[in-house]
Amino acid sequence: MSVLKDILYKVNMKAVTGDTGVTINDVHFDSRKVKLNDVFVAIRGTISDGHDFIKNAENQGALAIVCEEMPAEKINGVTYIEVQDTKKALAYIAANYYDNPSEKLKLVGVTGTNGKTTIATLLYDLFTKAGFKCGLLSTVKVMVGSDEHTAIRTTPDSITINSYLKKMNEAGVEFCFMEVSSHGIDQHRTTGLKFRGGIFTNLSHDHLDYHKDFAEYRDVKKRFFDELPSSAFALTNADDKNGAVMLQNTKAKKYTYALKSYADYKAQILENNFTGLLLKIDDQELWTRLIGNFNAYNILAIYAAADLLGLETLEILRIISELNSVSGRFQYLISEKEKITAIVDYAHTPDALKNVLETINSIRTKNEDLITVVGCGGDRDRTKRPKMGHIASALSSKVIFTSDNPRTEDPDKIIQEVEAGVEPQNFKKTMSVTNRKQAIKTACQIAGKNDIILIAGKGHETYQEINGERFDFDDLKIVNEFLKQLDK
């Protein structure tokens, strides 16, 4: 239980009607969860407006209402707080309600288009192996020490974030590593959190269904670094043309990492094959099981962050050499008899798909075929679809376009939009198989000895979302079953 005026600390209030000295039980932005003496924060969303549910919250016993527009009718005994932005207000209220848990551990945020999950997860693994109790907030899962929780989205809502951070405080967690999405930044889900550091990976075409253009997408990412305190570090990829932009207005201590440019942390790729990477970092050689140029950047970012957080250099290198790839990120298996390599990767943006395909092409002998199975999600950025089709067909021997998570869209129409990016000279390489399971089966059937199959787009996801329903679907499990059938 908390006093209302205490959890309103830092909230920019325009008007107050009623008593802020009352004791409240809980905070919600979903009116259906409101109980007696709770606070209801009315959030304007893309689908519904919380202001339409103020009456519901009052009927269920809300003691306080936080809103951007005061209701015409007010109930005696209920406190009404009018604010400029309820999303921002919710972030401060949640942090205050849970006693500002981010201040009691070292919280590091990772943002960018690609690499967020890998960097956050491997930092969690690295610091756990170094003997620290750690937390993780990622697309794949949430970890409170060794306790695993299901992740709902890349950056959860403010209440969920702070409730997990509070659990981490109670469990004695010292470090927490968190993915920070552009949606999360834009909707103030990370406002009110105290970060010890921020890491920028890269920026490419993504989420333009949400942001009106690339400049807005970039500027939202930049805002995360603008809001870092002077006590934090800001670590950015100097090889990305937007890396310097992220540091322009930050108060944090600035650091860079790169493979090509001058930077505070530099690495060189000495070997790159299907068993891993041999890197040279700070004149020390490092072997890692992770594969590809893009993972060289991820490893370098992890090394730099661990160094900035105070770990010993040799210990960092030793532990990195023990780390395994993250679920759904360049996970691969090889069939026993035909030696067909199947790779499952979350690559769902043009840049990520290009990185994975170029990595495979840089390693393979070219005596084998590279067969790519790929699609695009429904109800998301449509402009990337032809780009995905162009990249897949240009960089693969054969391509099977298929369904991803069509959601409420017609999967055949999504595939047609992907196919629109295929250039005439590559058209004969492609085919379309709408059913994803059948597409994976087809890839296995047409694969010859030593061929490589890339199944892109869903990675760690164990479901397929069609018309509001989620059906069990695991790319890695399905391709493994088909390859085992071929080996019989």
Side-chain angles (χ1 to χ4, degrees), residues 237-306:
N237 180 357
D239 286 344
D240 188 286
K241 62 184 177 183
N242 294 289
V245 176
M246 298 298 139
L247 302 182
Q248 282 176 352
N249 303 109
T250 189
K251 297 182 286 291
K253 299 174 188 70
K254 302 175 184 180
Y255 298 92
T256 55
Y257 66 97
L259 297 181
K260 303 170 188 172
S261 314
Y262 173 80
D264 298 301
Y265 295 92
K266 283 275 290 181
Q268 181 184 355
I269 299 173
L270 302 178
E271 288 182 27
N272 181 11
N273 55 51
F274 277 124
T275 59
L277 285 165
L278 180 63
L279 302 175
K280 191 174 186 179
I281 302 177
D282 287 349
D283 292 323
Q284 297 280 343
E285 288 192 6
L286 162 69
W287 176 258
T288 171
R289 297 183 184 115
L290 277 72
I291 300 162
N293 284 27
F294 59 96
N295 271 323
Y297 281 103
N298 293 336
I299 290 295
L300 186 55
I302 292 158
Y303 171 85

Side-chain angles (χ1 to χ4, degrees), residues 179-435:
E179 288 187 54
V180 179
S181 68
S182 60
H183 291 67
I185 301 165
D186 189 55
Q187 294 171 15
H188 291 288
R189 295 181 212 156
T190 54
T191 296
L193 300 179
K194 183 182 178 183
F195 284 92
R196 174 68 180 80
I199 302 169
F200 170 72
T201 62
N202 49 66
L203 209 63
S204 63
H205 190 118
D206 198 18
H207 299 308
L208 299 191
D209 55 318
Y210 178 86
H211 303 286
K212 66 173 184 276
D213 54 34
F214 186 83
E216 182 189 286
Y217 176 49
R218 177 200 64 214
D219 292 345
V220 167
K221 293 283 190 188
K222 178 179 175 292
R223 198 170 83 199
F224 171 66
F225 293 92
D226 292 350
E227 294 172 357
L228 287 176
S230 57
S231 57
F233 67 80
L235 175 65
T236 190
N237 180 357
D239 286 344
D240 188 286
K241 62 184 177 183
N242 294 289
V245 176
M246 298 298 139
L247 302 182
Q248 282 176 352
N249 303 109
T250 189
K251 297 182 286 291
K253 299 174 188 70
K254 302 175 184 180
Y255 298 92
T256 55
Y257 66 97
L259 297 181
K260 303 170 188 172
S261 314
Y262 173 80
D264 298 301
Y265 295 92
K266 283 275 290 181
Q268 181 184 355
I269 299 173
L270 302 178
E271 288 182 27
N272 181 11
N273 55 51
F274 277 124
T275 59
L277 285 165
L278 180 63
L279 302 175
K280 191 174 186 179
I281 302 177
D282 287 349
D283 292 323
Q284 297 280 343
E285 288 192 6
L286 162 69
W287 176 258
T288 171
R289 297 183 184 115
L290 277 72
I291 300 162
N293 284 27
F294 59 96
N295 271 323
Y297 281 103
N298 293 336
I299 290 295
L300 186 55
I302 292 158
Y303 171 85
D307 181 61
L308 292 169
L309 289 167
L311 262 61
E312 291 291 328
T313 300
L314 290 177
E315 186 182 23
I316 299 169
L317 294 168
R318 178 186 63 79
I319 297 173
I320 287 176
S321 69
E322 298 173 1
L323 299 176
N324 293 311
S325 61
V326 177
S327 175
R329 270 65 179 174
F330 216 96
Q331 274 188 294
Y332 70 95
L333 50 89
I334 302 171
S335 67
E336 287 181 23
K337 189 177 174 184
E338 296 296 315
K339 301 300 178 188
I340 296 167
T341 301
I343 300 164
V344 171
D345 194 90
Y346 189 52
H348 64 287
T349 67
D351 194 53
L353 183 62
K354 183 170 180 279
N355 282 340
V356 172
L357 286 169
E358 285 182 344
T359 291
I360 297 168
N361 282 319
S362 70
I363 296 170
R364 73 189 186 97
T365 65
K366 307 297 191 295
N367 292 320
E368 67 289 283
D369 280 343
L370 168 54
I371 304 163
T372 298
V373 180
V374 67
C376 284
D379 302 332
R380 297 293 186 268
D381 182 7
R382 291 175 62 183
T383 62
K384 74 178 181 183
R385 292 173 185 172
K387 295 179 182 180
M388 296 283 280
H390 168 71
I391 290 163
S393 59
L395 297 177
S396 309
S397 311
K398 297 170 186 173
V399 180
I400 303 170
F401 294 122
T402 190
S403 182
D404 191 289
N405 290 318
R407 300 183 177 89
T408 64
E409 283 195 69
D410 180 345
D412 289 322
K413 288 185 178 175
I414 296 173
I415 290 170
Q416 286 172 15
E417 291 182 16
V418 174
E419 288 176 325
V422 179
E423 293 186 356
Q425 70 270 24
N426 295 323
F427 185 73
K428 285 186 178 179
K429 293 182 185 179
T430 69
M431 68 175 82
S432 298
V433 180
T434 306
N435 182 290

Side-chain angles (χ1 to χ4, degrees), residues 48 68 83 87 100 119 167 222 428 436 466:
S48 61
E68 293 175 8
V83 299
K87 293 187 184 84
N100 295 292
I119 290 172
K167 285 186 175 78
K222 178 179 175 292
K428 285 186 178 179
R436 191 174 182 90
I466 304 169

Side-chain angles (χ1 to χ4, degrees), residues 458 462-474:
K458 288 174 56 59
T462 55
Y463 62 85
Q464 193 172 24
E465 192 174 333
I466 304 169
N467 290 323
E469 282 190 69
R470 286 190 172 187
F471 301 89
D472 287 346
F473 201 99
D474 186 327

